[in-house]
Amino acid sequence: MRVRIQPLNDNPGSPVIVFGNALGTRMSLWSAVAGRLADDYQIYLSDLPGHTFPAAENSDTITEAGAGFTVSDLATGLVESLADVGVEKFTFAGVSISGAIGLTLALEHPEVLNGLIACATSTKFGTPETWAERIKDVKEDGTRGLLDDTADRWFAAGFLTEDISAGHLILTDLALIDDEAYSACAQALQSYDLSDGLRSITTPTLFLAGSQDPGCTPEAMAELSAQVAESQLKVVPDAAHLPMAEHPDLVFDHIETFLSRV
């Protein structure tokens, strides 16, 4: 399969960074961080199937979504799609499901990676049963039915009250995501499981955790970092599952420092 990628800037000859979004979010999720890096890097934003572009413009990946795919398929598709535009080596920054794509890249395609930024992610998300229930809910009520529960997981307490734009825009994106595309990615997470499989990763890796993330907790992220020899963990205070939206300045600082070492 192919993964939709879009260049954010035109900076040929510069090191490449590719950003990947979370389930139910669009390419713009990382924009506040990616924009700060655009002077020194060539930036690409990658899409989850059917998340940013409507089916009419993204028919190939929607067709693939209907046939079913795995996180491993998404990782391979990303490598092949970047190769199509001449990118053979890159640093990948992914959050949640895209963090899982990043870990899979490090295991299955280490030759393409200069570095990995794995944010708010895991070697396994929930259980097949919990994902089946989520898919059932989306089929019945659409992604807009997920808004209340998702807001509590994605953002730290008080963020939506204090921030009048970023968080609400992201939740609006969730409500507008194609239901079938969301469910197809959720189905991919049903079979995703890298438990105890990270010790062979040799790619320099930065793990990023939100201090208030209820799922991918700092403690759980520390366990991931302990399995990867060339890794470090940074915790973003007053943030939950999407720290790049809540505190893009702090996330940028951590990434810039990491990239200077890579």
Side-chain angles (χ1 to χ4, degrees):
M1 68 183 297
R2 287 296 187 268
V3 172
R4 182 68 73 104
I5 55 172
Q6 291 288 120
L8 181 67
N9 60 339
D10 186 19
N11 201 357
S14 298
V16 175
I17 307 176
V18 181
F19 290 90
N21 48 318
L23 176 61
T25 69
R26 299 187 187 274
M27 280 184 173
S28 56
L29 178 65
W30 282 97
S31 59
V33 174
R36 288 169 163 87
L37 294 163
D39 286 344
D40 298 316
Y41 298 89
Q42 175 62 52
I43 308 293
Y44 288 91
L45 305 178
S46 64
D47 194 24
L48 294 172
H51 272 53
T52 294
F53 292 94
E57 298 179 23
N58 199 27
S59 56
D60 290 344
T61 50
I62 290 294
T63 299
E64 292 283 358
F69 54 83
T70 65
V71 171
S72 181
D73 292 333
L74 291 173
T76 299
L78 179 64
V79 171
E80 294 174 349
S81 300
L82 287 165
D84 288 344
V85 296
V87 176
E88 303 290 344
K89 293 278 286 187
F90 55 92
T91 294
F92 184 72
V95 58
S96 199
I97 184 176
S98 287
I101 292 171
L103 294 175
T104 302
L105 285 172
L107 289 168
E108 298 180 3
H109 304 276
E111 71 284 353
V112 305
L113 289 180
N114 291 317
L116 171 63
I117 298 131
C119 181
T121 195
S122 180
T123 55
K124 183 178 182 180
F125 296 90
T127 66
E129 292 75 23
T130 58
W131 284 111
E133 185 66 25
R134 178 87 63 88
I135 293 168
K136 176 175 175 290
D137 290 342
V138 170
K139 182 177 293 187
E140 292 176 352
D141 300 319
T143 53
R144 61 190 175 277
L146 304 176
L147 289 179
D148 289 342
D149 288 343
T150 301
D152 290 339
R153 290 186 290 106
W154 278 0
F155 303 114
F159 176 72
L160 291 176
T161 302
E162 298 167 2
D163 183 280
I164 62 173
S165 58
H168 298 283
L169 287 172
I170 291 169
L171 289 173
T172 300
D173 285 344
L174 171 62
L176 298 176
I177 294 293
D178 180 80
D179 295 342
E180 291 186 7
Y182 183 100
S183 296
C185 291
Q187 186 176 9
L189 288 174
Q190 280 187 295
S191 60
Y192 167 73
D193 189 350
L194 299 181
S195 300
D196 301 320
L198 303 188
R199 297 191 183 281
S200 61
I201 291 178
T202 57
T203 301
T205 301
L206 170 64
F207 288 98
L208 283 175
S211 65
Q212 296 184 35
D213 192 333
C216 303
T217 64
E219 294 78 13
M221 294 288 290
E223 292 179 7
L224 300 188
S225 183
Q227 296 180 54
V228 179
E230 297 294 324
S231 74
Q232 56 184 290
L233 169 69
K234 298 296 182 181
V235 178
V236 181
D238 300 317
H241 198 58
L242 301 179
M244 71 293 301
E246 296 177 280
H247 295 291
D249 51 343
L250 298 180
V251 171
F252 164 73
D253 287 343
H254 289 314
I255 290 179
E256 184 182 45
T257 299
F258 171 73
L259 292 173
S260 70
R261 296 170 181 167
V262 171

